[in-house]
Amino acid sequence: MASHRKSRPAGTRVAGIRTPALATAALTSVALLSQTANASPSTDDRPSLEEVEKKVDDLYRQAESATENYNAAKEKTAKQRKRVDTLLDDVAKRTQELNEAREELGRNAAAQYRTGAAAPDTATFLLADTPQDYFDQTQLMDRLTGRQKEAVDDYFTQQSATMKKRQEATQSLETLTESQNDLQTAKSTVQTKLSDARELLSKLTAEEKARLAAIEKRKQEEAARKAAELARQQAEAEAERERQEAAAQQQQESSESASDSSSSESSDSSASDSSYATKAEKALAFSRSQIGKPYVWGATGPDSYDCSGLTQAAWKAAGVDIPRVTYDQVNAGTTVSLANAQPGDLIFFYDDVTHVGIYIGNGMMIHAPKPGTYVREESIYYDGESSIHSVVRPA
């Protein structure tokens, strides 16, 4: 969430938002290492609650970022492999054409020999390392017939084109190797971060896990409260918009406007099939049908997803192609304010734009949270208000 690190697109950021400090869904099985949230490190060198919580959060965030790097490298590798295959096919085709042009030159030389028209220059030409070196001598060029000249020109053309394509193929193979190295590096980074996080969590006692689960529950309750507050604000704004539209319509009443309105309504009805709301509904229907499927880093479905793999698949089901990774998805649409978010909009998280979910309304979203979790509905405030980076309308 999401493939070394490349520069991140800044995106348009919701005002007053910064990077959060807590990992939520993945920590439900984790616990307190002390009785209070302000406990200092224990004397036996075991980490405090704050240290474990922050370390695990940082590891999951780093794994999430590495996952997006992995996704980007994987996409680049696939494209480069396709280009290499195309170039190699082209080289093979041009090599065949070059061989055919060479055979045509050989037939011309043989014909000259049979008719006694061949000169020693012909043999010299055929044995030369590069025909161009010999044909630069204008004397021999003057002796060639029109057909022979055409065959020689064709040979030179095919030779030049083949050499160029071979060079392109060589360069593309080098780029492919670099992409594959980036892919392997990103994969190793993800695996290392997740392994470190699991090791930290495995050292907690049952009592500690229970205490931290209670803290997690309180966080979820606060996230739900803020989602309900946003839903109320959006409902009030929608009601006010409808009142204003109704007032404007009353001011335009007349027999002619009524006639025009009937025609306009028919036109609007046919256009609604391609409206954003219609597409968004399809994307949301797809997202809901994926609830319960596991998060797997680098996955794009149909059995599992990472965060950007889910949003890409959802909008593809609506007939809209968006990029693979969060860094690109954040720029694939129109940025809107959180207050104006509509169902189907993409909600991006964190300063480095490493997580994304699809908004379903009422302050809620569907997303693939992180390793060890499943696709689910959750408050957009699941990791705190400060974690929200921006909102983008992709279609």
Side-chain angles (χ1 to χ4, degrees):
M1 286 162 277
S3 339
H4 133 171
R5 289 182 64 95
K6 67 175 183 178
S7 60
R8 306 288 186 257
T12 302
R13 185 173 174 77
V14 177
I17 291 179
R18 61 179 175 79
T19 304
L22 301 178
T24 58
L27 292 177
T28 55
S29 63
V30 190
L32 289 169
L33 283 167
S34 61
Q35 288 286 348
T36 67
N38 295 320
S40 59
S42 58
T43 56
D44 62 358
D45 293 331
R46 292 187 65 191
S48 67
L49 167 66
E50 293 86 350
E51 291 170 332
V52 171
E53 197 171 41
K54 184 177 186 305
K55 182 62 176 176
V56 171
D57 174 74
D58 288 345
L59 287 169
Y60 275 124
R61 286 287 315 284
Q62 291 166 18
E64 198 167 34
S65 177
T67 296
E68 289 304 304
N69 289 335
Y70 170 85
N71 291 338
K74 185 177 181 180
E75 185 177 43
K76 181 179 179 182
T77 298
K79 290 180 179 178
Q80 199 63 35
R81 188 185 303 279
K82 183 177 180 180
R83 172 170 171 75
V84 168
D85 290 343
T86 299
L87 285 171
L88 290 177
D89 288 343
D90 195 9
V91 167
K93 178 182 177 181
R94 291 181 182 278
T95 299
Q96 178 62 30
E97 293 173 348
L98 180 62
N99 290 337
E100 291 174 357
R102 185 182 290 113
E103 290 173 0
E104 176 66 16
L105 289 177
R107 285 192 294 270
N108 288 336
Q112 286 182 324
Y113 181 80
R114 287 193 302 270
T115 61
D121 289 334
T122 303
T124 304
F125 161 71
L126 292 174
L127 295 173
D129 291 336
T130 59
Q132 185 62 56
D133 290 343
Y134 189 82
F135 280 118
D136 282 341
Q137 302 176 37
T138 58
Q139 181 180 10
L140 181 60
M141 295 298 291
D142 290 340
R143 297 178 183 176
L144 296 175
T145 67
R147 180 179 175 182
Q148 292 170 334
K149 178 64 165 60
E150 182 180 348
V152 171
D153 288 344
D154 183 53
Y155 178 83
F156 291 154
T157 300
Q158 297 300 336
Q159 184 185 52
S160 176
T162 301
M163 290 299 297
K164 181 178 180 181
K165 287 299 180 181
R166 283 175 177 167
Q167 292 173 353
E168 290 181 19
T170 299
Q171 293 172 353
S172 292
L173 283 170
E174 293 174 354
T175 303
L176 175 59
T177 299
E178 293 175 2
S179 298
Q180 290 173 328
N181 291 338
D182 290 343
L183 185 64
Q184 184 58 46
T185 300
K187 182 177 181 179
S188 298
T189 300
V190 173
Q191 293 173 332
T192 298
K193 300 301 180 183
L194 294 180
S195 177
D196 290 347
R198 284 192 292 267
E199 182 179 359
L200 276 175
L201 298 178
S202 68
K203 294 179 180 179
L204 300 177
T205 67
E207 182 182 2
E208 290 167 344
K209 293 176 182 178
R211 290 175 178 172
L212 194 53
I215 291 179
E216 177 61 24
K217 182 178 180 180
R218 288 196 294 271
K219 291 178 185 176
Q220 292 175 345
E221 291 172 349
E222 174 61 15
R225 184 192 68 77
K226 292 189 70 65
E229 179 181 348
L230 176 61
R232 178 185 59 77
Q233 294 172 351
Q234 290 180 327
E236 291 176 352
E238 177 64 16
E240 177 61 24
R241 184 187 65 80
E242 291 177 353
R243 283 194 295 270
Q244 292 177 357
E245 289 181 352
Q249 187 175 6
Q250 289 178 356
Q251 295 176 355
Q252 298 178 352
E253 290 181 349
S254 69
S255 58
E256 182 177 354
S257 66
S259 173
D260 292 342
S261 175
S262 176
S263 174
S264 174
E265 288 175 359
S266 176
S267 175
D268 290 342
S269 176
S270 61
S272 65
D273 291 339
S274 60
S275 68
Y276 178 77
T278 301
K279 295 176 182 178
E281 184 59 35
K282 293 178 180 178
L284 291 176
F286 177 89
S287 298
R288 290 189 178 97
S289 69
Q290 308 309 307
I291 290 176
K293 293 183 178 181
Y295 172 97
V296 174
W297 62 272
T300 57
D303 299 322
S304 58
Y305 297 89
D306 63 17
C307 70
S308 55
L310 176 64
T311 52
Q312 183 190 44
W315 271 103
K316 184 177 182 179
V320 178
D321 290 327
I322 62 175
R324 171 64 180 94
V325 298
T326 54
Y327 314 138
D328 296 326
Q329 288 184 5
V330 74
N331 294 319
T334 303
T335 301
V336 298
S337 67
L338 183 59
N340 291 323
Q342 295 180 12
D345 290 350
L346 301 180
I347 311 292
F348 293 91
F349 296 85
Y350 312 125
D351 286 341
D352 52 359
V353 197
T354 52
H355 189 65
V356 62
I358 185 167
Y359 190 59
I360 62 176
N362 296 324
M364 303 291 288
M365 67 177 174
I366 296 174
H367 69 148
K370 58 187 63 180
T373 64
Y374 299 84
V375 175
R376 66 192 182 199
E377 289 188 12
E378 193 163 28
S379 168
I380 63 173
Y381 300 102
Y382 82 109
D383 208 8
E385 184 174 4
S386 63
S387 68
I388 302 174
H389 177 277
S390 57
V391 182
V392 172
R393 190 158 298 155

